Amino acid sequence: MDLPALDWQFLYGRLSWSIVLATTVALLLPPALRQSRRVVLGLLAMACLVMALPNEASPAYWLVLAFQWPSGVLLGLCLLTLSRAWPGAGDVTPMPAGLAAVIAITGTALYLDAIGLLSLGMYYWGFGPFAAPLVALAAIAGCALAAVLGRARPHALVAVGALALFSVLRLPTGNPWDALLDPLLWGWAVGSLGIRGVLWIARKVRGTQPRIAPAAAAGTERFQ
């Protein structure tokens, strides 16, 4: 078992939580401000200053106690979200349905295993000295191939970055599961799927409603 250096872990924690905080605030802003490079850079600068405060004065201190460190995938998706403020970045969906489903299912299996309902030892397998790094390298190769072929390229590159960070510096915890998953990322995926499900049901319900006659429909326009 090879754990990351404490200095690198401390630096990663401060920087990663700064990016997550800046992304969260940016998503609460109106679209016009969210797509402004100056606003995004300002948010990042302020978040870094706040997270750099010493010891208990830094929100990162309490966030690490509650959630440990953001996974490399969460960090990458946050950067992907913020990058939409730059020209030519495109309007890429940070959490597509397929990725959300994989994260939700895998995270649920890990959490059920952690509390003993599955008893597979999935998380502890990630601390293996040989198998875990080899699987991480194989996953990097697969994601890199997907990126070259143009299949979900931004998200494949995010996974490559997260796994490379783990392979080189063992961040954030020395376990590949923590490089790919964390509670906030799992909650984001589950919430995204839940919202999609509600919207899908709403469309189905709307589609089964009887059509309104043109004369009656004209009278309802003022209420829409």
Side-chain angles (χ1 to χ4, degrees):
M1 181 173 65
D2 189 10
L3 299 178
L6 289 177
D7 291 341
W8 282 110
Q9 201 171 37
F10 176 85
L11 180 62
Y12 174 83
R14 290 294 194 267
L15 181 60
S16 59
W17 279 120
S18 299
I19 294 172
V20 171
L21 175 61
T23 305
T24 304
V25 175
L27 291 175
L28 299 176
L29 296 176
L33 294 177
R34 194 187 313 154
Q35 296 171 0
S36 170
R37 284 178 293 174
R38 291 183 179 180
V39 171
V40 169
L41 291 174
L43 288 175
L44 283 171
M46 287 188 291
C48 288
L49 288 175
V50 170
M51 293 298 178
L53 294 173
N55 301 325
E56 291 89 345
S58 171
Y61 175 87
W62 304 103
L63 288 169
V64 167
L65 290 179
F67 302 105
Q68 291 194 337
W69 297 270
S71 64
V73 172
L74 176 61
L75 184 60
L77 294 180
C78 287
L79 290 173
L80 186 62
T81 302
L82 295 176
S83 70
R84 293 187 294 182
W86 270 256
D91 191 15
V92 179
T93 302
M95 184 66 71
L99 178 62
V102 171
I103 292 173
I105 293 172
T106 306
T108 300
L110 277 170
Y111 295 141
L112 291 176
D113 185 54
I115 63 177
L117 292 180
L118 293 181
S119 300
L120 299 176
M122 295 171 61
Y123 183 78
Y124 296 103
W125 168 86
F127 285 117
F130 302 110
L134 289 177
V135 170
L137 291 175
I140 289 176
C143 292
L145 179 61
V148 170
L149 296 177
R151 298 180 179 177
R153 179 174 296 170
H155 304 91
L157 292 176
V158 164
V160 168
L163 291 167
L165 191 67
F166 162 76
S167 299
V168 176
L169 297 176
R170 308 294 290 181
L171 291 172
T173 66
N175 191 308
W177 288 118
D178 292 326
L180 297 171
L181 282 169
D182 62 79
L184 292 181
L185 180 64
W186 180 81
W188 183 4
V190 172
S192 175
L193 290 175
I195 292 173
R196 284 185 169 92
V198 170
L199 293 176
W200 181 82
I201 293 173
R203 285 194 298 268
K204 288 294 184 180
V205 172
R206 193 181 302 116
T208 58
Q209 290 178 350
R211 286 194 165 186
I212 303 175
T220 62
E221 290 179 355
R222 59 180 176 177
F223 299 106
Q224 297 179 359

